[in-house]
Amino acid sequence: TFGINQYLIYTLSDCWSAGYRFEWYNVSEAPFGGIGNVDIYGSTWGLNYKPHANVTIRPELRYDWHRDDAALVNNNFPIFQEGGRDQFSFGIDSVFTF
């Protein structure tokens, strides 16, 4: 099992930046018996807001999908249950540095 991530960040101002992340994750048969070799992809768009030098607030919208629906759903792979082939999710976090 292995993956590759790529990040792009564009500075809009001193307080704002926009980011994009693409992930490719290859699931091999070892951790989830019977799945075989399946590729899972993730694409994330987000903003970074720095109201203070030590505080960053990061909302994001993420889209995940894969190419082998039957293998993942039939073997109880958690993020693709209920016959789903893809999913959107929203998240937000804050980073405090000191």
Side-chain angles (χ1 to χ4, degrees), residues 71-78 81:
L72 293 175
V73 172
N74 293 339
N75 287 282
N76 297 319
F77 197 75
Q81 291 304 301

Side-chain angles (χ1 to χ4, degrees), residues 48 59 94:
N48 294 329
S94 297

Side-chain angles (χ1 to χ4, degrees), residues 9-13 15-19 46-50:
I9 298 174
Y10 181 75
T11 301
L12 301 169
S13 70
C15 294
W16 289 94
S17 62
L47 294 171
N48 294 329
Y49 174 59
K50 294 187 86 154

Side-chain angles (χ1 to χ4, degrees), residues 72-95:
L72 293 175
V73 172
N74 293 339
N75 287 282
N76 297 319
F77 197 75
I79 65 170
F80 296 111
Q81 291 304 301
E82 307 294 327
R85 184 166 185 84
D86 53 8
Q87 70 179 15
F88 273 102
S89 58
F90 174 78
I92 187 167
D93 67 359
S94 297
V95 178

Side-chain angles (χ1 to χ4, degrees), residues 14-32:
D14 289 341
C15 294
W16 289 94
S17 62
Y20 174 75
R21 177 177 68 237
F22 179 80
E23 300 170 285
W24 166 59
Y25 183 62
N26 179 268
V27 178
S28 65
E29 191 166 332
F32 308 102

Side-chain angles (χ1 to χ4, degrees), residues 2 5 15-16 20 24 31-32 35 38 41 52 56-57 60-61 74-76 81 93 97:
F2 58 92
N5 295 348
C15 294
W16 289 94
Y20 174 75
W24 166 59
F32 308 102
I35 290 181
V38 178
Y41 303 94
H52 184 274
T56 305
I57 300 169
E60 69 178 27
L61 179 63
N74 293 339
N75 287 282
N76 297 319
Q81 291 304 301
D93 67 359
T97 57

